[in-house]
């Protein structure tokens, strides 16, 4: 269950603050299953986010709102089992903290108890600050999430750049300060202007982790299927493909089909 078994120190929410202080960039990538998480952890990532993007990436939903607490627990528990070193962060899904402070704290405790994750992530600013304070007081590290917050997609109506004008930028700063005062360990900044993300980073004690927020944040996060070139036809400006796993898998599957069809697999040596 994620205990330290290598000579490398286990990453915790506290480590993120130490990395901010030392200027070492934080690397985070999503994962939702045991096999993928094991590869990403062994490659040396600092943190795996079990994002509610599992709703899109794993289940093929249009947005993140349908995923349930039980489904997030299933994904996060699988990831925690695979990880030796990195900090596993689990998203609190839509509906698990919006009803009331007590409900949010109860769900947060349940997710931690049943997954073994090292921190939780929650979308929103001032309006969730009191709930965040309660969860942190219960001993659970929290990561905030501002800018493009996909759980509110129906309110915003699209996935465009956020905080483009002065009023929105000012609100984002106020929300970041409210989360910081509530005790978050980090804040994810999604799809906001780079200059604003850099400014927020200098204003908060918490580490900032950007996605589509430029290089001035304390770290970066990407969805693994996007970063590794598995998803086709999704290439926003902020995304870089660091591998072409789609091509690699397609070629592997085609080679398997070919070998089975021509009866070159299994060979004598692959038979009992
Ligand atoms: O759910 C997710 O994958 C996320 C990242 C995009 C930050 O929240």
């Amino acid at each position: 269950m994620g205990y330290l078994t290598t000579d490398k120190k286990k990453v915790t929410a506290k480590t993120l603050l130490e990395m901010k202080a030392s200027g070492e960039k934080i690397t985070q990538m999503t994962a939702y299953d045991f096999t993928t998480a094991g590869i990403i952890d062994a490659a040396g990532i600092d943190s795996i986010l079990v994002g509610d993007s599992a709703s899109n990436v794993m289940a093929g939903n249009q947005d993140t709102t349908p995923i349930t607490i039980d489904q997030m627990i299933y994904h996060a528990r699988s990831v925690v089992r695979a990880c030796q070193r990195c900090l596993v962060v689990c998203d609190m899904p839509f509906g698990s903290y919006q009803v009331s402070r007590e409900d949010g704290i109860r769900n947060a405790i349940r997710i931690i108890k049943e997954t073994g994750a090292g921190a939780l992530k929650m979308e929103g600013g001032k309006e969730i600050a009191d709930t965040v304070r309660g969860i942190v007081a219960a001993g659970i590290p929290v990561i905030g999430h501002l800018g493009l917050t996909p759980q509110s997609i129906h309110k915003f109506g699209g996935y465009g750049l956020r905080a483009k004008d002065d009023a929105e930028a000012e609100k984002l700063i106020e929300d970041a300060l409210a989360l910081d005062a509530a005790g978050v360990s980090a804040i994810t900044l999604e799809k906001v202007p780079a200059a604003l993300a850099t400014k927020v980073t200098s204003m908060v004690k918490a580490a900032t982790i950007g996605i589509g927020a430029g290089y001035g944040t304390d770290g970066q996060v990407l969805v693994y299927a996007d970063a590794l070139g598995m998803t086709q036809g999704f290439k926003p400006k902020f995304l870089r493909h660091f591998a072409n796993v789609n091509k690699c898998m397609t070629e592997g599957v085609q080679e398997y089909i070919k070998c089975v069809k021509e009866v070159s697999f299994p060979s004598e040596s692959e038979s009992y």
Side-chain angles (χ1 to χ4, degrees), residues 30 32 49 51-53 91 121 123 145 188 190 211 221 223:
T30 69
Y32 321 98
L49 169 65
D52 57 2
S53 51
D91 256 341
K121 180 166 79 59
E123 296 182 8
H145 184 157
T188 301
E190 180 164 357
I211 172 164
V221 56
V223 169

Side-chain angles (χ1 to χ4, degrees), residues 225-260:
D226 299 335
L228 303 182
M230 295 175 83
T231 37
Q232 296 271 286
F234 179 68
K235 188 70 179 67
K237 182 178 174 183
F238 70 79
L239 178 62
R240 188 186 296 180
H241 287 159
F242 292 89
N244 192 343
V245 174
N246 190 301
K247 181 167 180 281
C248 184
M249 277 183 78
T250 303
E251 287 171 0
V253 174
Q254 286 172 342
E255 181 64 11
Y256 168 71
I257 294 168
K258 177 175 156 288
C259 292
V260 172

